[in-house]
Amino acid sequence: MIALLRGEVAIRRADHVVILCGGVGYRAAVSAETLRHVPPVGEPVTLHAHLIARDDALSLYGFYTEQERDLFVMLLSVQAIGPKVALAVLSGGAPRDLTAAIAAGEAARFQAVPGIGKRTAERIIVELREKVAVAGAVEQAAGAIAALPREEGSPATHRELARAGLLELGYAPPEAEQLLSSARGDSAEALIAEALRLARAGS
């Protein structure tokens, strides 16, 4: 799996770039948002990448930030959204703005994207709202925990991050503890997702 491209911009087009890495040129499709950050030909650049392998082709996609790549992968999980439409969505703004729109249920924003109708826009909101909430909560929790004084060599555990993430989502400390006591997962995201499922099941 190609996860990162670091090299020199060889070609810069409206929908793709070619990055020269160690004598090999990698063609990566990009969103308009990422293209804004790609420097002119001949300049160095680093892009996060996602490779899609199909029987007839290997397609590489480049992103200026990990957040944009993560959102691209989330969008691909939505029925009727392929890579081309996902890039069109990402061209509509910064990843933070798009995830905020999903969290706020702003389906109309996604209806404005070519190739997305009302039903698909609503599906994006329904299927991704919880995912972006979990990802945002973990990101904020990680930042809050990183700011706390800790003994050297004692990183935050997944459960600590999950607890802080649930607090960010508005749960009281006793509620967070109770939900996590029954949750199982090998990452903070998995623990939060399981805790939210348990919360829905118990409501």
Side-chain angles (χ1 to χ4, degrees):
M1 174 62 73
I2 299 174
L4 195 73
L5 295 174
R6 178 174 291 160
E8 179 183 299
V9 179
I11 296 174
R12 189 178 186 279
R13 297 286 185 265
D15 62 348
H16 73 274
V17 295
V18 175
I19 309 300
L20 191 61
C21 306
V24 178
Y26 292 89
R27 184 187 191 278
V30 296
S31 68
E33 177 65 18
T34 282
L35 192 63
R36 289 195 312 110
H37 299 282
V38 175
V41 171
E43 295 292 322
V45 69
T46 298
L47 293 179
H48 299 276
H50 183 75
L51 179 67
I52 295 179
R54 293 203 172 101
D55 291 339
D56 58 346
L58 293 175
S59 301
L60 191 62
Y61 300 86
F63 309 93
Y64 185 67
T65 64
E66 282 186 280
Q67 290 77 16
E68 188 183 26
R69 181 179 63 189
D70 292 346
L71 185 52
F72 176 78
V73 174
M74 284 188 198
L75 286 165
L76 291 182
S77 71
V78 178
Q79 185 182 354
I81 292 188
K84 185 175 180 180
V85 174
L87 284 182
V89 172
L90 294 174
S91 295
R96 184 179 295 273
D97 293 338
L98 294 172
T99 53
I102 293 171
E106 297 174 7
R109 175 163 186 168
F110 300 100
Q111 282 182 250
V113 177
I116 293 184
K118 181 179 180 181
R119 183 171 296 179
T120 302
E122 291 172 347
R123 190 176 288 131
I124 289 173
I125 302 300
V126 171
E127 295 187 20
L128 299 188
R129 191 177 230 167
E130 185 173 295
K131 290 182 180 180
V132 300
V134 168
V138 171
E139 183 180 346
Q140 292 179 38
I145 287 179
L148 296 175
R150 305 181 65 84
E151 292 183 12
E152 190 173 349
S154 60
T157 66
H158 295 317
R159 196 160 291 274
E160 284 179 307
L161 280 171
R163 181 182 182 279
L166 288 173
L167 297 181
E168 290 287 343
L169 289 172
Y171 286 90
E175 291 178 302
E177 294 288 354
Q178 182 179 359
L179 290 171
L180 288 173
S181 67
S182 301
R184 299 290 179 269
D186 56 5
S187 68
E189 289 90 344
L191 285 168
I192 293 177
E194 176 66 6
L196 293 176
R197 187 189 69 77
L198 292 170
R200 287 197 306 272
S203 60

